[in-house]
Amino acid sequence: AQSENILGYFVNVERIPNSCSHPPNHISLKDRKILVNLSMAYYRLNISAYNEAGESPRAIYIVPEFSATDLPGQIHVKSQGTNAVVTWTPKYNPKCFVVDWGTGKEDMHMKIMTTTTGNFTLGNFQPYKLYKIMVHASDVCQCESFVTHEKTFGVTHFYSVEGVPRTGPANVTVLDITKHSALVKWTEIAAEDRLGFLQGYKISYTDSSMKKSPAVTLNSSITSYQLTGLKEKTTYRVQISGFTNAGEGPLTPSQPFSTPKYGTVEPLC
């Protein structure tokens, strides 16, 4: 009801994290849209309207994460106990680099490096947690200038110590069962349950005589597999596990299915 009386909008662009005491960029505009040139760091926008009576409560908008495959640099990370040594090769010599690291936007740390040596030691990494490390280049090193001058050089992900997945994949189902084949489908292991970089899945299955077939190893992008060479009129039990560089995680609960003597098993309605 008051929208006709709006005179304009205030937008505060705030970097996450921001280890500087300087307030966020404060922008005043008349339109209901804004174009800002941001790096791949996390950003929060506080948006309010104002009229002759004053300013409205602020709406908070978190800029979504986005990925880029054409970043100019590669970042390399090497674990040293609870520390990590981050190295990169600068493509040019900006006045400073800004390093962000953490497990997510609610847990990010920031360091401004006025030397361009191309290496930095980060500390206090916890095992089995996925960290995101970002390196940004800036020709202006004052905090208030990052919003418009910061450019992302490279992004990588890192585990200081990898573990095996704490669970197997979810929602294991068996479909399209024929005399000699069946389609197994599943949902990928959730990121928080991987505890390391997921390398793939292993499918194990046995028949009613407990004869175990050779395990099938698949890469981590696959979430379905056609079992072939099955015997007709036989009950099988299938289980799936995920594995990282640290080893194999637990198997899923046994999922039974039976092949028919003729034709195809009709799905239950």
Side-chain angles (χ1 to χ4, degrees):
Q2 302 297 320
S3 61
E4 295 180 1
N5 300 322
I6 291 175
L7 300 177
Y9 300 89
F10 292 130
V11 179
N12 287 343
V13 183
E14 183 180 0
R15 190 187 191 283
I16 309 171
N18 184 3
S19 62
C20 313
S21 58
H22 193 279
N25 284 50
H26 189 75
I27 302 168
S28 176
L29 63 157
K30 301 295 184 182
D31 295 330
R32 288 184 294 170
K33 61 182 178 181
I34 182 173
L35 177 64
V36 288
N37 184 18
L38 302 177
S39 71
M40 291 177 68
Y42 294 107
Y43 283 90
R44 178 190 296 116
L45 273 63
N46 299 293
I47 306 169
S48 60
Y50 66 91
N51 59 18
E52 292 180 351
E55 185 178 353
S56 73
R58 293 179 177 180
I60 298 175
Y61 175 74
I62 304 295
V63 177
E65 287 189 61
F66 60 94
S67 59
T69 57
D70 58 348
L71 294 174
Q74 294 290 327
I75 304 173
H76 303 281
V77 187
K78 184 177 181 180
S79 178
Q80 288 187 348
T82 59
N83 294 335
V85 178
V86 183
T87 59
W88 63 90
T89 302
K91 299 295 183 181
Y92 64 101
N93 292 317
K95 289 186 177 179
C96 64
F97 284 104
V98 183
V99 181
D100 289 331
W101 72 99
T103 57
K105 58 179 174 287
E106 303 301 328
D107 175 45
M108 293 300 288
H109 309 276
M110 169 186 173
K111 180 72 175 180
I112 302 170
M113 297 178 55
T114 55
T115 59
T116 56
T117 55
N119 68 77
F120 187 60
T121 300
L122 306 175
N124 299 318
F125 283 88
Q126 298 182 35
Y128 318 131
K129 285 192 174 184
L130 180 62
Y131 287 86
K132 184 176 186 179
I133 301 175
M134 295 180 280
V135 176
H136 318 280
S138 180
D139 285 323
V140 181
C141 298
Q142 286 75 30
C143 297
E144 65 270 22
S145 301
F146 288 149
V147 171
T148 55
H149 291 277
E150 182 181 68
K151 296 180 180 178
T152 301
F153 174 80
V155 177
T156 193
H157 293 84
F158 170 72
Y159 284 94
S160 64
V161 177
E162 288 193 65
V164 302
R166 86 170 98 229
T167 66
N171 303 317
V172 178
T173 55
V174 184
L175 308 168
D176 302 337
I177 304 168
T178 71
K179 288 195 299 180
H180 302 300
S181 68
L183 179 65
V184 183
K185 301 184 75 173
W186 61 93
T187 303
E188 65 180 12
I189 298 174
E192 61 270 19
D193 292 327
R194 296 177 183 180
L195 308 184
F197 292 113
L198 188 66
Q199 301 299 309
Y201 298 99
K202 288 185 179 181
I203 302 178
S204 303
Y205 58 103
T206 57
D207 62 19
S208 50
S209 66
M210 300 305 293
K211 180 182 177 182
K212 193 171 185 178
S213 299
V216 178
T217 301
L218 306 168
N219 69 47
S220 60
S221 64
I222 295 175
T223 55
S224 66
Y225 183 77
Q226 186 88 17
L227 299 177
T228 59
L230 305 178
K231 294 183 291 186
E232 64 185 40
K233 203 176 179 181
T234 302
T235 297
Y236 288 88
R237 294 181 179 276
V238 63
Q239 294 176 286
I240 308 175
S241 62
F243 62 93
T244 66
N245 289 321
E248 185 178 350
L251 290 162
T252 57
S254 178
Q255 180 71 33
F257 69 95
S258 297
T259 56
K261 185 174 182 180
Y262 305 103
T264 302
V265 174
E266 295 294 330
L268 296 175
C269 297

